[in-house]
Amino acid sequence: MARFTHTVTVAALDRGWFEEAAGALVDLLDTSREGPAGSVVLADGRAVAGLRLLKGRHLRPGARYGEVPAAPEGAARKSGPAVPEGAAGEAGPAVEAAGGGALASGPADGPAAPVSGAGDSPAAQAFVLRSWRPSHSVEAESLVVEDGMSLRTGLRLSRPRRPRAVELSLAGHRAGGGSLYRFSGRGQADLAAWWAAVDRLPAAPPAARPPVTGRAVHRLAKARLTLTPHPADDGSWRITVALGVRGRWLLRPVGAVVLFFARGPLERGLREAAQGAAAEWNRALAELTPLHGDALRAEIADALVDPDGREAL
């Protein structure tokens, strides 16, 4: 197995602020409602950007959300009139058909009808809510289909108002591509263990078990990623990112040779990714953590309504 590690220093996140922000986000979504043409509207009447109810009931298990991809220019003239905006709820199956039915639906969804040419869209995507219990857990699945590649992602958040754990799963494949075009992965973040790790004294040894772990599996190789935080003397966090990669089955000797020559690019890629993520983290915290109460809630609401405008700040 080849193992790569890199440590970055980031600004510490206050647990109280994090839980306040998570609670504000959950409350904003929990008080939202279905608006005209399937839009999702906050309590103040503004629509959430990029989120449309395509089928089912808002915030109920089986509700399907997303945006039906726009047809290429001129396609509407060839295939007939465009679907009226108010009929967006009937267009949901087109997204599911694009993935070959990979995104299963709950009983509230009903069967998906195949739609010719749905897979030819630049990027078809769907988002299905499996569970919405803000005091207990939130579960959702998404499917993105682009250029013949399907990526299905599952997310489970425990105790959303005061998050305790996050679980992520993913599976990807290319239609007709065989096993070489299939991969899967799982990740978990134990937030209770994370807070315990960063509450240690700087002189204490790091946590024995990484609070954040991820695994990816492909026919040719397996990979494991871990994040282990440790408090620094100045109050910041030092986060060690570790990546382990190994070949599978009879391909292990071949994988060892490939990893020998790819060690440099892999180390460089891990280092650049970790440093880039750390820079974004520090920038976001500098902008957001001074906000509390109504100001924080308003900032989160503005980001939901106009995410592009938020990024331009």
Side-chain angles (χ1 to χ4, degrees), residues 142-303:
S142 69
L143 174 69
V144 177
V145 181
E146 186 170 9
D147 296 331
M149 192 72 186
S150 300
L151 179 63
R152 180 179 179 178
T153 306
L155 174 68
R156 186 179 190 274
L157 179 63
S158 300
R159 304 289 181 88
R161 286 194 170 94
R162 299 184 66 182
R164 298 281 296 176
V166 181
E167 299 174 32
L168 181 69
S169 64
L170 59 88
H173 76 278
R174 181 182 293 277
S179 59
L180 289 177
Y181 291 88
R182 292 181 180 273
F183 62 89
S184 62
R186 284 189 171 277
Q188 181 174 5
D190 185 339
L191 299 182
W194 182 281
W195 297 122
V198 297
D199 283 343
R200 294 166 174 252
L201 294 174
R209 299 180 61 183
V212 180
T213 60
R215 296 178 182 272
V217 179
H218 184 266
R219 180 184 176 185
L220 302 181
K222 289 183 178 181
R224 184 173 187 264
L225 179 71
T226 63
L227 303 181
T228 305
H230 192 265
D233 292 329
D234 61 359
S236 59
W237 292 347
R238 291 178 58 80
I239 300 177
T240 299
V241 184
L243 174 65
V245 184
R246 70 176 182 181
R248 298 187 67 194
W249 307 106
L250 298 177
L251 295 172
R252 286 187 180 181
V254 178
V257 174
V258 173
L259 289 172
F260 176 80
F261 290 102
R263 177 174 291 275
L266 282 173
E267 285 181 332
R268 184 166 56 252
L270 178 66
R271 181 175 63 252
E272 292 175 352
Q275 292 175 345
E280 286 298 314
W281 171 278
N282 292 334
R283 182 188 66 80
L285 257 61
E287 293 179 358
L288 294 175
T289 51
L291 302 176
H292 290 277
D294 292 341
L296 177 59
R297 183 184 177 91
E299 182 72 9
I300 295 173
D302 289 345

Side-chain angles (χ1 to χ4, degrees), residues 18-32 42 132 157 160-161 296-297 300-301 303-304:
F18 170 73
E19 293 180 347
E20 180 186 1
L25 174 60
V26 171
D27 288 342
L28 283 167
L29 295 176
D30 197 42
T31 56
S32 65
L42 299 179
W132 179 263
L157 179 63
R161 286 194 170 94
L296 177 59
R297 183 184 177 91
I300 295 173
L304 289 173

